[in-house]
Amino acid sequence: MDLRTYFEYLLVMAGVTYLLRAVPFILLRGELKSRFWKSFLNYVPYTVLSAMTVPAIFYATDSGIAGFCALVTAVVASLLGRGLVGVAIVACLTVLGVDGIALLF
């Protein structure tokens, strides 16, 4: 890639990033009065995080079964009130255990 193409790509990426951050500020100058939009925008970060994390759980392991078991144990641990580190440790140990059992058979 030559230097001119690099700077063209860089300019387009900077423009897109700026527009994604500036347009909401321009369109939403005042406070939102609608309960629907407040509630909708409140859940957007959780939805995006879930959409990025859940597929990564299945593809981060060698087997889909280990990923599924890790997801189930992580959900159960979080429902039992464990913190982020505790949930991550339980999920990692589950993957190690399932993969270890799979090696035996």
Coordinates of all heavy atoms in Angstrom, one line a residue:
M1 N 0.9 -1.2 0.0 CA 0.0 0.0 0.0 C 0.9 1.2 0.0 O 1.8 1.3 0.8 CB -0.9 0.0 1.2 CG -1.7 1.2 1.4 SD -2.7 1.4 2.9 CE -3.4 -0.2 3.2
D2 N 0.6 2.1 -0.9 CA 1.4 3.3 -0.9 C 0.9 4.4 0.1 O -0.1 4.2 0.7 CB 1.4 3.9 -2.4 CG 0.1 4.4 -2.8 OD1 -0.9 3.9 -2.2 OD2 0.0 5.2 -3.8
L3 N 1.7 5.4 0.3 CA 1.4 6.4 1.3 C 0.1 7.2 1.0 O -0.6 7.5 2.0 CB 2.6 7.4 1.4 CG 2.7 8.2 2.6 CD1 2.7 7.4 3.9 CD2 3.9 9.2 2.6
R4 N -0.2 7.4 -0.2 CA -1.4 8.2 -0.6 C -2.6 7.4 -0.2 O -3.6 7.9 0.4 CB -1.4 8.5 -2.0 CG -2.6 9.3 -2.5 CD -2.6 9.5 -4.0 NE -3.9 9.9 -4.5 CZ -4.3 11.1 -4.6 NH1 -3.5 12.1 -4.3 NH2 -5.5 11.4 -5.1
T5 N -2.6 6.1 -0.5 CA -3.8 5.3 -0.2 C -3.9 5.2 1.3 O -5.1 5.2 1.8 CB -3.6 3.9 -0.8 OG1 -3.4 4.0 -2.2 CG2 -4.8 3.0 -0.6
Y6 N -2.8 5.0 2.0 CA -2.9 5.0 3.5 C -3.5 6.2 4.1 O -4.4 6.1 4.9 CB -1.4 4.8 4.0 CG -1.4 4.8 5.5 CD1 -1.7 3.7 6.3 CD2 -0.9 6.0 6.2 CE1 -1.6 3.8 7.6 CE2 -0.9 6.0 7.6 CZ -1.2 4.9 8.3 OH -1.1 4.9 9.6
F7 N -3.2 7.4 3.6 CA -3.8 8.6 4.2 C -5.2 8.8 3.7 O -6.0 9.3 4.5 CB -2.9 9.8 3.8 CG -1.7 10.0 4.7 CD1 -0.4 9.8 4.2 CD2 -1.9 10.3 6.0 CE1 0.7 10.0 5.0 CE2 -0.8 10.4 6.8 CZ 0.5 10.2 6.3
E8 N -5.6 8.3 2.6 CA -7.0 8.3 2.2 C -7.8 7.4 3.1 O -8.9 7.8 3.6 CB -7.1 7.8 0.7 CG -6.6 8.8 -0.3 CD -6.7 8.3 -1.7 OE1 -7.0 7.1 -1.9 OE2 -6.4 9.0 -2.6
Y9 N -7.3 6.2 3.4 CA -8.0 5.3 4.3 C -8.1 5.9 5.7 O -9.1 5.9 6.4 CB -7.3 4.0 4.4 CG -7.5 3.1 3.2 CD1 -6.7 2.0 3.0 CD2 -8.4 3.4 2.2 CE1 -6.8 1.2 1.9 CE2 -8.6 2.6 1.1 CZ -7.8 1.5 1.0 OH -7.9 0.7 -0.1
L10 N -7.0 6.5 6.1 CA -7.0 7.2 7.4 C -8.0 8.3 7.5 O -8.7 8.5 8.5 CB -5.6 7.7 7.7 CG -5.3 8.3 9.1 CD1 -5.5 7.2 10.2 CD2 -3.9 8.9 9.2
L11 N -8.1 9.1 6.5 CA -9.0 10.2 6.5 C -10.5 9.7 6.5 O -11.3 10.3 7.2 CB -8.8 11.1 5.2 CG -9.7 12.3 5.1 CD1 -9.4 13.3 6.2 CD2 -9.5 13.0 3.7
V12 N -10.8 8.7 5.7 CA -12.1 8.1 5.8 C -12.5 7.6 7.1 O -13.6 7.8 7.7 CB -12.3 7.0 4.7 CG1 -13.6 6.3 4.8 CG2 -12.2 7.7 3.3
M13 N -11.5 6.8 7.8 CA -11.8 6.3 9.1 C -12.0 7.4 10.1 O -12.8 7.3 11.0 CB -10.7 5.4 9.5 CG -10.7 4.0 8.7 SD -9.5 2.8 9.4 CE -7.9 3.7 9.1
A14 N -11.2 8.4 10.0 CA -11.3 9.5 11.0 C -12.7 10.2 10.8 O -13.3 10.6 11.7 CB -10.2 10.5 10.8
G15 N -13.1 10.4 9.5 CA -14.4 11.0 9.2 C -15.5 10.2 9.8 O -16.5 10.8 10.4
V16 N -15.5 8.9 9.6 CA -16.6 8.0 10.1 C -16.6 8.1 11.6 O -17.7 8.2 12.2 CB -16.4 6.6 9.5 CG1 -17.3 5.6 10.2 CG2 -16.6 6.6 8.0
T17 N -15.5 8.0 12.2 CA -15.4 8.0 13.7 C -16.0 9.4 14.2 O -16.7 9.4 15.2 CB -14.0 7.8 14.2 OG1 -13.5 6.6 13.7 CG2 -13.9 7.8 15.7
Y18 N -15.6 10.4 13.6 CA -16.1 11.7 14.0 C -17.6 11.9 13.8 O -18.3 12.3 14.7 CB -15.4 12.9 13.2 CG -15.9 14.2 13.6 CD1 -15.5 14.8 14.8 CD2 -16.7 14.9 12.8 CE1 -16.0 16.1 15.2 CE2 -17.2 16.2 13.1 CZ -16.8 16.7 14.3 OH -17.3 18.0 14.7
L19 N -18.1 11.4 12.7 CA -19.5 11.5 12.5 C -20.3 10.6 13.5 O -21.4 11.1 13.9 CB -19.9 11.1 11.0 CG -19.5 12.1 9.9 CD1 -19.8 11.5 8.6 CD2 -20.3 13.3 10.1
L20 N -19.8 9.5 13.8 CA -20.5 8.6 14.7 C -20.6 9.2 16.1 O -21.5 9.0 16.9 CB -19.9 7.2 14.8 CG -20.1 6.3 13.6 CD1 -19.3 5.1 13.8 CD2 -21.5 6.0 13.5
R21 N -19.6 10.1 16.4 CA -19.6 10.7 17.8 C -20.3 12.1 17.8 O -20.8 12.5 18.8 CB -18.2 10.8 18.3 CG -17.5 9.5 18.6 CD -16.1 9.6 18.9 NE -15.5 8.4 19.0 CZ -15.3 7.7 20.2 NH1 -15.8 8.2 21.3 NH2 -14.7 6.5 20.2
A22 N -20.2 12.8 16.6 CA -20.8 14.1 16.6 C -22.2 14.2 16.3 O -23.0 15.0 16.8 CB -20.0 15.0 15.5
V23 N -22.7 13.3 15.4 CA -24.1 13.3 15.0 C -25.1 13.2 16.2 O -26.1 14.0 16.3 CB -24.4 12.3 13.9 CG1 -25.9 12.1 13.7 CG2 -23.7 12.7 12.6
P24 N -24.9 12.3 17.1 CA -25.8 12.2 18.3 C -25.8 13.5 19.1 O -26.9 13.9 19.6 CB -25.3 11.0 19.1 CG -24.6 10.2 18.2 CD -24.0 11.1 17.2
F25 N -24.7 14.2 19.3 CA -24.7 15.4 20.0 C -25.4 16.5 19.3 O -26.0 17.4 19.9 CB -23.2 15.9 20.3 CG -22.6 15.1 21.3 CD1 -21.4 14.3 21.1 CD2 -23.0 15.1 22.6 CE1 -20.8 13.6 22.0 CE2 -22.4 14.4 23.6 CZ -21.3 13.6 23.3
I26 N -25.3 16.5 18.0 CA -26.0 17.5 17.2 C -27.5 17.3 17.2 O -28.3 18.2 17.3 CB -25.5 17.5 15.7 CG1 -24.0 18.0 15.7 CG2 -26.4 18.4 14.8 CD1 -23.3 17.8 14.4
L27 N -27.9 16.0 17.0 CA -29.4 15.7 17.0 C -30.0 15.7 18.3 O -31.2 16.0 18.4 CB -29.6 14.3 16.3 CG -29.2 14.2 14.8 CD1 -29.4 12.8 14.3 CD2 -29.9 15.2 14.0
L28 N -29.3 15.4 19.4 CA -29.9 15.3 20.7 C -29.4 16.4 21.6 O -28.7 16.2 22.6 CB -29.6 13.9 21.3 CG -30.0 12.7 20.6 CD1 -29.5 11.5 21.2 CD2 -31.5 12.7 20.5
R29 N -29.7 17.6 21.3 CA -29.2 18.8 22.0 C -29.8 18.9 23.4 O -29.2 19.1 24.4 CB -29.4 20.1 21.3 CG -28.5 20.2 20.1 CD -28.8 21.5 19.3 NE -28.0 21.5 18.1 CZ -27.2 22.4 17.7 NH1 -27.0 23.4 18.5 NH2 -26.6 22.3 16.6
G30 N -31.1 18.7 23.5 CA -31.8 18.8 24.7 C -31.9 17.4 25.4 O -31.5 16.4 25.0
E31 N -32.6 17.5 26.6 CA -32.8 16.2 27.3 C -33.9 15.4 26.7 O -34.9 16.0 26.2 CB -33.2 16.6 28.8 CG -33.3 15.4 29.6 CD -33.7 15.7 31.1 OE1 -33.7 16.9 31.4 OE2 -34.1 14.8 31.8
L32 N -33.7 14.1 26.7 CA -34.7 13.2 26.2 C -35.9 13.2 27.1 O -35.7 12.9 28.3 CB -34.2 11.8 26.0 CG -33.2 11.6 24.9 CD1 -32.6 10.2 24.9 CD2 -33.8 11.9 23.5
K33 N -37.1 13.4 26.6 CA -38.3 13.4 27.5 C -39.0 12.0 27.4 O -39.8 11.7 28.2 CB -39.2 14.5 27.1 CG -38.5 15.9 27.1 CD -39.3 17.0 27.6 CE -38.7 18.3 27.6 NZ -37.4 18.5 28.1
S34 N -38.8 11.3 26.3 CA -39.5 10.1 26.1 C -38.9 9.0 26.9 O -37.7 8.7 26.9 CB -39.5 9.7 24.6 OG -40.0 8.4 24.4
R35 N -39.8 8.3 27.7 CA -39.3 7.2 28.5 C -38.8 6.0 27.7 O -37.9 5.3 28.0 CB -40.5 6.7 29.4 CG -40.7 7.6 30.6 CD -41.7 7.0 31.6 NE -41.6 5.6 31.8 CZ -42.5 4.8 32.3 NH1 -43.7 5.3 32.6 NH2 -42.3 3.6 32.5
F36 N -39.5 5.8 26.5 CA -39.1 4.8 25.6 C -37.6 5.0 25.1 O -36.8 4.0 25.2 CB -40.0 4.7 24.4 CG -39.5 3.8 23.3 CD1 -39.7 2.4 23.5 CD2 -38.9 4.2 22.2 CE1 -39.2 1.5 22.5 CE2 -38.4 3.4 21.2 CZ -38.6 2.0 21.4
W37 N -37.3 6.2 24.7 CA -35.9 6.4 24.2 C -34.9 6.3 25.3 O -33.8 5.9 25.1 CB -35.9 7.7 23.4 CG -36.5 7.6 22.1 CD1 -37.7 8.2 21.7 CD2 -36.1 6.8 21.0 NE1 -38.0 7.8 20.4 CE2 -37.1 6.9 19.9 CE3 -35.1 5.9 20.7 CZ2 -37.0 6.3 18.7 CZ3 -35.0 5.2 19.5 CH2 -35.9 5.4 18.5
K38 N -35.2 6.8 26.4 CA -34.3 6.7 27.6 C -34.0 5.3 27.9 O -32.9 4.9 28.1 CB -34.9 7.5 28.8 CG -34.8 8.9 28.8 CD -35.3 9.5 30.1 CE -35.2 11.0 30.1 NZ -35.7 11.6 31.3
S39 N -35.1 4.5 28.0 CA -34.9 3.1 28.3 C -34.1 2.4 27.2 O -33.3 1.5 27.4 CB -36.3 2.4 28.5 OG -36.1 1.0 28.7
F40 N -34.5 2.7 25.9 CA -33.8 2.1 24.8 C -32.3 2.4 24.8 O -31.5 1.5 24.6 CB -34.4 2.5 23.5 CG -33.8 2.0 22.2 CD1 -34.0 0.8 21.8 CD2 -32.9 2.9 21.5 CE1 -33.4 0.3 20.6 CE2 -32.3 2.4 20.4 CZ -32.5 1.1 19.9
L41 N -31.9 3.6 25.0 CA -30.5 4.0 24.9 C -29.8 3.5 26.2 O -28.6 3.3 26.1 CB -30.4 5.5 24.8 CG -30.9 6.1 23.5 CD1 -30.8 7.6 23.5 CD2 -30.0 5.6 22.3
N42 N -30.5 3.2 27.3 CA -29.9 2.7 28.4 C -29.4 1.3 28.2 O -28.4 0.9 28.8 CB -30.9 2.7 29.6 CG -30.2 2.4 30.9 OD1 -29.1 2.8 31.1 ND2 -31.0 1.8 31.8
Y43 N -30.1 0.5 27.4 CA -29.8 -0.9 27.2 C -28.8 -1.2 26.0 O -28.4 -2.3 25.8 CB -31.0 -1.8 27.1 CG -31.8 -1.9 28.4 CD1 -33.0 -1.3 28.6 CD2 -31.2 -2.7 29.4 CE1 -33.6 -1.5 29.8 CE2 -31.9 -2.9 30.6 CZ -33.1 -2.2 30.8 OH -33.7 -2.4 32.0
V44 N -28.6 -0.2 25.2 CA -27.7 -0.3 24.0 C -26.3 -0.8 24.4 O -25.8 -1.8 23.8 CB -27.7 1.0 23.2 CG1 -26.6 0.9 22.2 CG2 -29.0 1.2 22.5
P45 N -25.6 -0.3 25.4 CA -24.3 -0.8 25.7 C -24.3 -2.3 26.1 O -23.4 -3.0 25.7 CB -23.8 0.1 26.9 CG -24.6 1.3 26.8 CD -25.9 0.9 26.2
Y46 N -25.3 -2.7 26.9 CA -25.3 -4.1 27.2 C -25.6 -5.0 26.0 O -25.0 -6.1 25.9 CB -26.5 -4.3 28.3 CG -26.3 -3.5 29.5 CD1 -27.1 -2.5 29.8 CD2 -25.2 -3.8 30.4 CE1 -26.9 -1.7 31.0 CE2 -25.0 -3.1 31.6 CZ -25.9 -2.0 31.8 OH -25.7 -1.3 33.0
T47 N -26.4 -4.6 25.1 CA -26.7 -5.3 23.9 C -25.5 -5.5 23.0 O -25.2 -6.5 22.5 CB -27.8 -4.7 23.1 OG1 -29.0 -4.5 24.0 CG2 -28.3 -5.5 21.9
V48 N -24.8 -4.4 22.9 CA -23.6 -4.4 22.0 C -22.5 -5.3 22.7 O -21.9 -6.1 22.0 CB -23.0 -3.0 21.8 CG1 -21.7 -3.0 21.1 CG2 -24.0 -2.2 21.0
L49 N -22.3 -5.2 24.0 CA -21.3 -6.0 24.7 C -21.7 -7.5 24.5 O -20.8 -8.3 24.3 CB -21.3 -5.6 26.1 CG -20.2 -6.3 27.0 CD1 -18.8 -6.1 26.4 CD2 -20.3 -5.9 28.4
S50 N -23.0 -7.8 24.7 CA -23.4 -9.2 24.5 C -23.2 -9.7 23.1 O -22.8 -10.8 22.9 CB -24.9 -9.4 24.9 OG -25.1 -9.0 26.2
A51 N -23.5 -8.9 22.1 CA -23.3 -9.3 20.7 C -21.9 -9.5 20.4 O -21.6 -10.3 19.5 CB -23.9 -8.2 19.8
M52 N -21.0 -8.8 21.1 CA -19.5 -9.0 20.8 C -19.0 -10.2 21.6 O -18.1 -10.9 21.1 CB -18.8 -7.7 21.1 CG -19.1 -6.6 20.2 SD -18.5 -5.0 20.7 CE -16.8 -5.4 21.2
T53 N -19.5 -10.4 22.8 CA -18.9 -11.4 23.7 C -19.3 -12.8 23.4 O -18.5 -13.7 23.4 CB -19.2 -11.0 25.2 OG1 -18.7 -9.7 25.4 CG2 -18.5 -11.9 26.1
V54 N -20.6 -13.0 23.3 CA -21.2 -14.4 23.2 C -20.6 -15.1 22.0 O -20.2 -16.3 22.1 CB -22.7 -14.3 23.1 CG1 -23.3 -15.7 22.8 CG2 -23.2 -13.8 24.5
P55 N -20.5 -14.6 20.8 CA -19.9 -15.4 19.7 C -18.4 -15.7 20.0 O -17.9 -16.7 19.6 CB -20.0 -14.5 18.5 CG -21.1 -13.6 18.7 CD -21.1 -13.4 20.2
A56 N -17.7 -14.7 20.7 CA -16.3 -15.0 21.0 C -16.1 -16.1 22.0 O -15.1 -16.8 21.9 CB -15.7 -13.7 21.6
I57 N -17.1 -16.4 22.8 CA -17.0 -17.5 23.7 C -17.0 -18.8 23.0 O -16.2 -19.7 23.3 CB -18.2 -17.4 24.7 CG1 -18.1 -16.2 25.7 CG2 -18.3 -18.7 25.5 CD1 -19.3 -16.0 26.5
F58 N -17.8 -18.9 21.9 CA -17.8 -20.2 21.2 C -16.6 -20.4 20.3 O -16.2 -21.5 20.1 CB -19.1 -20.2 20.4 CG -20.4 -20.3 21.2 CD1 -21.2 -19.3 21.2 CD2 -20.6 -21.5 21.9 CE1 -22.4 -19.3 22.0 CE2 -21.8 -21.5 22.7 CZ -22.7 -20.5 22.7
Y59 N -16.0 -19.3 19.8 CA -14.9 -19.5 18.9 C -13.5 -19.4 19.6 O -12.5 -19.6 18.9 CB -15.0 -18.4 17.8 CG -16.2 -18.6 16.9 CD1 -17.2 -17.7 16.8 CD2 -16.3 -19.8 16.1 CE1 -18.3 -17.9 16.0 CE2 -17.4 -20.0 15.3 CZ -18.4 -19.1 15.2 OH -19.5 -19.3 14.5
A60 N -13.5 -19.1 20.9 CA -12.2 -19.0 21.6 C -11.7 -20.3 22.0 O -10.5 -20.5 22.2 CB -12.4 -18.1 22.8
T61 N -12.5 -21.3 22.0 CA -12.1 -22.7 22.4 C -12.0 -23.5 21.1 O -12.5 -23.2 20.1 CB -13.1 -23.3 23.4 OG1 -14.4 -23.4 22.7 CG2 -13.3 -22.4 24.6
D62 N -11.4 -24.7 21.3 CA -11.2 -25.6 20.2 C -12.5 -26.4 19.9 O -12.8 -26.8 18.8 CB -10.1 -26.7 20.5 CG -8.8 -26.0 20.4 OD1 -8.6 -25.0 19.7 OD2 -7.8 -26.5 21.1
S63 N -13.4 -26.5 20.9 CA -14.6 -27.2 20.7 C -15.8 -26.3 21.1 O -15.7 -25.6 22.1 CB -14.7 -28.5 21.5 OG -14.7 -28.2 22.9
G64 N -16.9 -26.4 20.4 CA -18.1 -25.6 20.7 C -18.7 -26.1 22.0 O -19.4 -25.3 22.7
I65 N -18.5 -27.4 22.4 CA -19.1 -27.9 23.6 C -18.5 -27.2 24.8 O -19.2 -26.9 25.8 CB -18.9 -29.4 23.6 CG1 -19.7 -30.1 22.5 CG2 -19.4 -30.0 25.0 CD1 -19.5 -31.5 22.3
A66 N -17.2 -27.0 24.8 CA -16.5 -26.4 25.9 C -16.9 -24.9 26.0 O -17.1 -24.4 27.1 CB -15.0 -26.4 25.7
G67 N -17.1 -24.3 24.9 CA -17.6 -22.9 24.9 C -19.0 -22.8 25.4 O -19.3 -21.9 26.2
F68 N -19.9 -23.7 25.1 CA -21.2 -23.7 25.5 C -21.3 -24.0 27.1 O -22.0 -23.3 27.8 CB -22.1 -24.8 24.8 CG -23.5 -24.9 25.3 CD1 -24.4 -23.9 25.0 CD2 -23.9 -26.0 26.1 CE1 -25.7 -24.0 25.5 CE2 -25.2 -26.0 26.6 CZ -26.1 -25.1 26.3
C69 N -20.5 -25.0 27.5 CA -20.4 -25.2 29.0 C -19.9 -24.0 29.7 O -20.4 -23.7 30.8 CB -19.6 -26.5 29.2 SG -20.3 -28.0 28.6
A70 N -18.9 -23.4 29.2 CA -18.4 -22.2 29.8 C -19.4 -21.1 29.9 O -19.6 -20.4 30.9 CB -17.1 -21.7 29.1
L71 N -20.2 -20.9 28.8 CA -21.3 -19.9 28.8 C -22.3 -20.2 29.9 O -22.7 -19.3 30.7 CB -21.9 -19.8 27.5 CG -23.1 -18.9 27.3 CD1 -22.7 -17.4 27.5 CD2 -23.8 -19.0 26.0
V72 N -22.7 -21.5 30.0 CA -23.7 -21.9 31.0 C -23.2 -21.6 32.4 O -23.9 -21.1 33.2 CB -24.2 -23.3 30.7 CG1 -25.0 -23.8 31.9 CG2 -24.9 -23.5 29.4
T73 N -22.0 -22.1 32.7 CA -21.5 -21.9 34.0 C -21.2 -20.4 34.3 O -21.4 -20.0 35.5 CB -20.2 -22.7 34.2 OG1 -19.2 -22.3 33.2 CG2 -20.4 -24.2 34.2
A74 N -20.9 -19.6 33.4 CA -20.7 -18.2 33.6 C -22.0 -17.5 33.9 O -22.1 -16.7 34.8 CB -20.0 -17.5 32.4
V75 N -23.1 -17.9 33.2 CA -24.4 -17.3 33.5 C -24.9 -17.7 34.9 O -25.4 -16.9 35.6 CB -25.4 -17.7 32.4 CG1 -26.8 -17.4 32.8 CG2 -25.0 -17.1 31.0
V76 N -24.7 -19.0 35.2 CA -25.1 -19.5 36.5 C -24.3 -18.7 37.6 O -24.9 -18.3 38.6 CB -24.9 -21.0 36.6 CG1 -25.1 -21.5 38.1 CG2 -25.9 -21.7 35.7
A77 N -23.0 -18.6 37.4 CA -22.2 -17.9 38.4 C -22.6 -16.5 38.6 O -22.6 -15.9 39.7 CB -20.7 -18.0 38.1
S78 N -22.9 -15.8 37.5 CA -23.3 -14.4 37.6 C -24.7 -14.3 38.2 O -24.9 -13.3 39.0 CB -23.3 -13.8 36.2 OG -24.3 -14.3 35.4
L79 N -25.6 -15.2 38.0 CA -26.9 -15.2 38.6 C -26.7 -15.5 40.1 O -27.6 -15.0 40.9 CB -27.8 -16.2 38.0 CG -28.3 -15.9 36.6 CD1 -29.1 -17.0 36.0 CD2 -29.1 -14.6 36.6
L80 N -25.7 -16.2 40.5 CA -25.5 -16.4 42.0 C -24.8 -15.3 42.7 O -24.5 -15.3 43.8 CB -24.7 -17.7 42.1 CG -25.4 -19.0 41.8 CD1 -24.4 -20.2 41.9 CD2 -26.6 -19.2 42.6
G81 N -24.5 -14.2 41.9 CA -23.9 -13.0 42.5 C -22.4 -12.9 42.5 O -21.8 -12.1 43.2
R82 N -21.7 -13.7 41.7 CA -20.3 -13.7 41.6 C -19.9 -12.4 40.9 O -20.6 -12.0 40.0 CB -19.7 -14.9 41.0 CG -20.0 -16.2 41.7 CD -19.3 -16.2 43.0 NE -19.6 -17.5 43.7 CZ -20.3 -17.6 44.8 NH1 -20.9 -16.5 45.3 NH2 -20.5 -18.7 45.4
G83 N -18.7 -11.9 41.1 CA -18.2 -10.7 40.4 C -17.6 -11.1 39.1 O -17.6 -12.3 38.7
L84 N -17.1 -10.1 38.4 CA -16.6 -10.3 37.0 C -15.4 -11.3 37.1 O -15.3 -12.2 36.2 CB -16.1 -9.0 36.4 CG -15.6 -9.0 35.0 CD1 -16.6 -9.5 34.1 CD2 -15.1 -7.7 34.6
V85 N -14.5 -11.1 38.0 CA -13.3 -12.0 38.1 C -13.8 -13.4 38.4 O -13.3 -14.4 37.9 CB -12.3 -11.5 39.1 CG1 -11.2 -12.4 39.3 CG2 -11.8 -10.1 38.7
G86 N -14.7 -13.6 39.4 CA -15.2 -14.9 39.7 C -15.8 -15.6 38.6 O -15.6 -16.8 38.3
V87 N -16.6 -14.9 37.8 CA -17.3 -15.5 36.6 C -16.3 -15.9 35.6 O -16.4 -17.0 35.0 CB -18.3 -14.5 36.0 CG1 -18.8 -15.0 34.7 CG2 -19.5 -14.3 37.0
A88 N -15.3 -15.1 35.4 CA -14.2 -15.4 34.4 C -13.4 -16.6 34.8 O -13.1 -17.5 34.0 CB -13.3 -14.2 34.2
I89 N -13.1 -16.7 36.1 CA -12.4 -17.9 36.6 C -13.2 -19.2 36.4 O -12.7 -20.2 36.0 CB -11.9 -17.7 38.1 CG1 -10.9 -16.6 38.1 CG2 -11.5 -19.0 38.7 CD1 -10.5 -16.1 39.5
V90 N -14.5 -19.1 36.8 CA -15.3 -20.3 36.6 C -15.4 -20.7 35.2 O -15.4 -21.9 34.9 CB -16.7 -20.0 37.2 CG1 -17.8 -21.0 36.8 CG2 -16.7 -19.9 38.7
A91 N -15.6 -19.8 34.3 CA -15.7 -20.1 32.9 C -14.4 -20.7 32.4 O -14.4 -21.7 31.6 CB -16.0 -18.8 32.1
C92 N -13.2 -20.1 32.8 CA -11.9 -20.7 32.3 C -11.7 -22.1 32.9 O -11.3 -23.0 32.1 CB -10.8 -19.8 32.8 SG -10.7 -18.2 31.9
L93 N -12.0 -22.3 34.1 CA -11.9 -23.6 34.7 C -12.8 -24.6 34.0 O -12.5 -25.8 33.9 CB -12.2 -23.6 36.2 CG -11.1 -22.9 37.1 CD1 -11.5 -22.8 38.5 CD2 -9.8 -23.5 36.9
T94 N -14.0 -24.2 33.6 CA -14.9 -25.1 32.9 C -14.4 -25.5 31.6 O -14.4 -26.7 31.2 CB -16.3 -24.4 32.7 OG1 -16.8 -24.0 34.0 CG2 -17.3 -25.3 32.0
V95 N -13.8 -24.5 30.9 CA -13.2 -24.9 29.6 C -12.0 -25.9 29.8 O -11.9 -26.8 29.0 CB -12.7 -23.6 28.8 CG1 -11.8 -24.0 27.6 CG2 -13.9 -22.8 28.4
L96 N -11.2 -25.6 30.7 CA -10.1 -26.5 31.0 C -10.6 -27.9 31.4 O -10.0 -28.9 30.9 CB -9.2 -26.0 32.1 CG -8.3 -24.8 31.8 CD1 -7.6 -24.2 33.0 CD2 -7.3 -25.1 30.7
G97 N -11.6 -28.0 32.2 CA -12.2 -29.3 32.6 C -12.8 -30.0 31.5 O -12.5 -31.2 31.3
V98 N -13.6 -29.3 30.7 CA -14.3 -30.0 29.5 C -13.2 -30.4 28.5 O -13.3 -31.5 28.0 CB -15.3 -29.1 28.9 CG1 -15.9 -29.6 27.6 CG2 -16.5 -28.8 29.9
D99 N -12.3 -29.6 28.2 CA -11.2 -30.0 27.3 C -10.4 -31.1 27.8 O -9.9 -32.0 27.1 CB -10.3 -28.8 26.9 CG -11.0 -27.9 25.9 OD1 -12.0 -28.3 25.2 OD2 -10.5 -26.7 25.7
G100 N -10.1 -31.1 29.1 CA -9.4 -32.2 29.8 C -10.1 -33.5 29.7 O -9.5 -34.6 29.4
I101 N -11.4 -33.5 29.9 CA -12.2 -34.7 29.8 C -12.3 -35.1 28.4 O -12.2 -36.4 28.1 CB -13.6 -34.4 30.4 CG1 -13.6 -34.2 31.9 CG2 -14.6 -35.5 30.0 CD1 -14.9 -33.8 32.5
A102 N -12.3 -34.2 27.4 CA -12.4 -34.6 26.0 C -11.1 -35.3 25.6 O -11.1 -36.1 24.7 CB -12.6 -33.4 25.1
L103 N -9.9 -34.9 26.2 CA -8.7 -35.5 25.9 C -8.6 -37.0 26.3 O -7.9 -37.8 25.8 CB -7.5 -34.7 26.5 CG -7.2 -33.4 25.8 CD1 -6.1 -32.7 26.6 CD2 -6.7 -33.6 24.3
L104 N -9.3 -37.2 27.4 CA -9.3 -38.6 27.9 C -10.1 -39.6 27.0 O -9.8 -40.8 27.1 CB -9.9 -38.6 29.4 CG -9.1 -37.9 30.4 CD1 -9.9 -37.9 31.7 CD2 -7.7 -38.5 30.6
F105 N -11.0 -39.1 26.3 CA -11.9 -40.0 25.5 C -11.5 -39.9 24.0 O -11.2 -39.4 23.2 CB -13.3 -39.7 25.7 CG -13.8 -40.0 27.1 CD1 -14.0 -39.0 28.0 CD2 -13.9 -41.3 27.5 CE1 -14.4 -39.3 29.3 CE2 -14.3 -41.6 28.8 CZ -14.5 -40.6 29.7

